Amino acid sequence: MSLAPRLDIRQSQSLVMTPQLQQAIKLLALSNLEIEGFIAEEVERNPLLEASAAEDSDAPDREPVAEVRDERVAADELVAGTGAGDEPTLDVDYATESHQQDSVADGGSGMDGALSMTGASAGGAGGEDGPDLDAFADTSLSLADHLLAQAGPAIPHDDAFIAAHLIDQIDEAGYLTVSLLDIANRLGVPLVRVERVLATIHTFDPTGVGARDLAECLALQAREADRYDPCMARLIDNLDLLGRGELTRLKRMCDVDDEDMADMIRELRGYDPKPGCRYGGEPAQSVTPDLFVARTKAGWAIEINASTLPRVLVNRSYYTELSGGQQDKASKAWLSDCLASANWLVKALDQRQRTIIKVATEIVKQQEAFFLKGVAHLRPLTLRQVADAIEMHESTVSRVTSNKYVSCARGLYELKYFFTSAIQSADGGEAVSAQAVKSAIKALIDTEGAKILSDDTLVELLNAKGFDIARRTVAKYREALGIGSSVQRRRARALEGG
């Protein structure tokens, strides 16, 4: 064997992720609202791209996003990079129709632009557009602004900077999150001066604001209601015992009878443990559906929510105008890149819509019983089952179902909601989904009445319903639903009864 260095020529093959391919894969995982932001960035970067409202008609010499093509591509050609025209393509069925509607109600009797699953049973109808939820958003002042407005006339001018600093350290729930000694050292003022300013803040609205813990918050509200007697003070100082339901010990410590203890507990329940939450904070964000599912005479109709997707157009007339002038080699190359990028984005968005529709169609087909009868009839479903049925890769289905919401007659659901694990039937029949079991557990606990159901009892009742489930699984599902144990529910029931 020769040990001398030499040059070898070798031929090899490798799969290269082009920027266009990476962009197409990224678009699959984005929601409609995220796509809108992405398109805005692309329009700003590329002068040949234009975005128009979904209801706008196509301008001349412009290529719309929903370009319908006749060729059929094989599944997973996007990953393989072997699509028609030597361009990567998505896992889609080109035989489907395109969508250009804002909602299911826009479709009319023919549901033009919506994809139908013929032969499926009927299940729910679409309704008219509801009210704008953003109109109900809280427009009040923030908690800090509300407190600063009260501090103006109540705090001496020399102490205004202390009050401003204290208010700045109060969180959204209304609690002071920093120790007074740290604030005094930071501002270089005596501790007693900071305590005096905080005592004034404690008189502000809402009552209980500026408290350093829950006990102080409740004590401030009890003083405001003129109910802070020695018995109430002992009760507030021992909230941990109240939380554990040790009423006998509390009655002995507070030296009260059953009736007085019940009155004190009812009084505490009337106080606000988070007084700052009624002011300011971030407004609630409504979830915008990416898909609509509705019933038609032919079956189930599924369509993209076009109202959240601006249409992307390629301005070919502007390209002709720019390319006709005097240009150097670099300018021509840049213009060609802009045109290629614009064409690719239009095709990628078109294929994204078709891929989402194809995946959603299969999900509705698999979970038809849910849309007809509710969550109790949700079937076990995995990504692989959907991927195999539509001849796509499992990762493609995962990306499509991420951050996507579907609106139907039964409400608004994330696409991931329809993928649940299987629970075997106790009688050897068809398996049921975990969501159906959770729904059954919640229904049993909601109707348990005065007799609190233990996890063992729940297992017996579920087995009687045909669910073969272990006790630890019942406990896990109960905790996932935010429901306490039988001991915790029994204590809560005792507190409610006084």
Side-chain angles (χ1 to χ4, degrees):
M1 177 182 292
S2 175
L3 298 180
R6 65 179 182 180
L7 295 176
D8 287 338
I9 299 177
R10 297 180 181 177
Q11 187 176 14
S12 63
Q13 284 185 326
S14 62
L15 179 64
V16 178
M17 292 282 287
T18 64
Q20 292 85 357
L21 181 57
Q22 294 178 22
Q23 182 188 77
I25 293 176
K26 175 185 176 183
L27 292 179
L28 280 178
L30 299 181
S31 66
N32 281 6
L33 296 181
E34 292 171 331
I35 285 289
E36 186 176 3
F38 176 82
I39 290 175
E41 294 178 0
E42 290 296 315
V43 169
E44 184 178 356
R45 186 182 63 84
N46 193 332
L48 299 183
L49 279 175
E50 292 182 2
S52 63
E55 63 272 11
D56 290 349
S57 59
D58 294 337
D61 299 326
R62 288 166 170 81
E63 187 175 300
V65 64
E67 178 193 34
V68 180
R69 284 161 284 178
D70 296 330
E71 69 270 19
R72 181 181 294 274
V73 296
D76 299 332
E77 285 186 352
L78 170 65
V79 178
T82 59
D86 295 330
E87 290 183 350
T89 52
L90 294 174
D91 283 329
V92 294
D93 182 1
Y94 285 97
T96 55
E97 301 175 12
S98 60
H99 295 251
Q100 294 299 335
Q101 301 183 58
D102 290 345
S103 69
V104 173
D106 294 338
S109 59
M111 285 301 292
D112 295 336
L115 298 182
S116 300
M117 292 171 49
T118 57
S121 303
E128 296 181 354
D129 293 338
D132 183 8
L133 297 180
D134 291 336
F136 298 97
D138 185 11
T139 57
S140 61
L141 290 175
S142 66
L143 176 62
D145 292 336
H146 181 64
L147 296 176
L148 287 173
Q150 299 176 74
I155 303 294
H157 179 72
D158 294 342
D159 292 337
F161 73 101
I162 301 178
H165 192 81
L166 285 170
I167 292 173
D168 187 57
Q169 301 301 320
I170 294 177
D171 62 14
E172 293 182 355
Y175 289 88
L176 184 65
T177 57
V178 181
S179 70
L180 296 185
L181 183 59
D182 291 342
I183 293 177
N185 293 335
R186 189 181 308 164
L187 299 179
V189 296
L191 177 60
V192 64
R193 189 175 172 185
V194 178
E195 292 174 342
R196 184 174 64 246
V197 174
L198 179 61
T200 304
I201 293 176
H202 283 165
T203 64
F204 292 173
D205 177 71
T207 305
V209 72
R212 285 155 285 188
D213 53 38
L214 177 61
E216 185 176 22
C217 179
L218 298 178
L220 290 171
Q221 296 178 64
R223 288 191 180 96
E224 178 71 16
D226 197 21
R227 285 297 305 269
Y228 194 70
D229 52 31
C231 296
M232 179 65 78
R234 293 192 192 97
L235 178 61
I236 292 177
D237 289 340
N238 294 276
L239 292 177
D240 55 335
L241 299 180
L242 182 61
R244 294 198 296 267
E246 300 185 18
L247 299 183
T248 303
R249 184 176 176 185
L250 280 172
K251 285 186 291 185
R252 186 170 59 254
M253 293 176 63
C254 298
D255 194 19
V256 294
D257 55 18
D258 292 342
E259 183 178 356
D260 289 337
M261 177 58 66
D263 289 339
M264 293 165 63
I265 293 176
R266 278 194 293 269
E267 183 74 21
L268 282 183
R269 284 207 190 95
Y271 298 155
D272 189 354
K274 296 181 178 180
C277 289
R278 71 185 74 168
Y279 293 93
E282 294 295 329
Q285 299 294 329
S286 58
V287 177
T288 303
D290 300 273
L291 292 159
F292 293 107
V293 174
R295 173 191 175 185
T296 65
K297 294 180 179 180
W300 292 103
I302 302 119
E303 69 168 324
I304 292 283
N305 182 6
S307 64
T308 59
L309 277 178
R311 302 188 66 188
V312 180
L313 310 174
V314 180
N315 194 337
R316 296 190 179 278
S317 60
Y318 187 47
Y319 169 76
T320 303
E321 180 182 348
L322 291 179
S323 60
Q326 295 292 334
Q327 294 180 336
D328 54 21
K329 186 176 181 180
S331 298
K332 289 182 179 180
W334 173 79
L335 189 59
S336 297
D337 289 342
C338 287
L339 180 61
S341 177
N343 286 332
W344 170 258
L345 180 60
V346 168
K347 294 178 182 179
L349 290 172
D350 173 41
Q351 303 236 11
R352 171 188 177 271
Q353 291 183 216
R354 296 177 184 274
T355 306
I356 292 174
I357 288 293
K358 189 172 184 180
V359 172
T361 299
E362 182 61 27
I363 291 175
V364 173
K365 180 181 178 181
Q366 296 281 351
Q367 300 290 6
E368 183 181 3
F370 164 83
F371 292 96
L372 289 172
K373 303 176 183 178
V375 67
H377 299 271
L378 198 64
R379 294 178 51 194
L381 187 64
T382 63
L383 295 173
R384 180 174 294 277
Q385 288 177 262
V386 175
D388 291 344
I390 59 180
E391 298 181 346
M392 288 186 182
H393 195 274
E394 188 175 346
S395 63
T396 303
V397 178
S398 177
R399 291 187 180 94
V400 167
T401 54
S402 296
N403 305 314
K404 309 291 192 309
Y405 289 84
V406 57
S407 176
C408 63
R410 296 197 172 275
L412 187 67
Y413 297 90
E414 189 178 9
L415 284 181
K416 291 287 189 183
Y417 174 82
F418 299 101
F419 296 92
T420 61
S421 57
I423 300 296
Q424 294 301 320
S425 176
D427 55 4
E430 185 179 0
V432 296
S433 73
Q435 287 292 349
V437 176
K438 289 180 181 179
S439 177
I441 292 174
K442 187 176 186 304
L444 289 172
I445 293 178
D446 288 343
T447 58
E448 64 185 356
K451 185 178 179 181
I452 304 300
L453 302 177
S454 66
D455 289 346
D456 291 327
T457 305
L458 289 173
V459 170
E460 295 175 1
L461 295 174
L462 291 170
N463 287 335
K465 290 178 175 288
F467 301 132
D468 185 11
I469 188 170
R471 182 184 181 280
R472 62 179 180 277
T473 307
V474 170
K476 181 179 70 173
Y477 287 173
R478 175 179 51 73
E479 292 171 359
L481 292 169
I483 300 175
S485 65
S486 58
V487 176
Q488 293 171 328
R489 300 200 305 276
R490 190 174 292 108
R491 287 173 179 170
R493 188 68 57 84
L495 291 177
E496 290 174 1

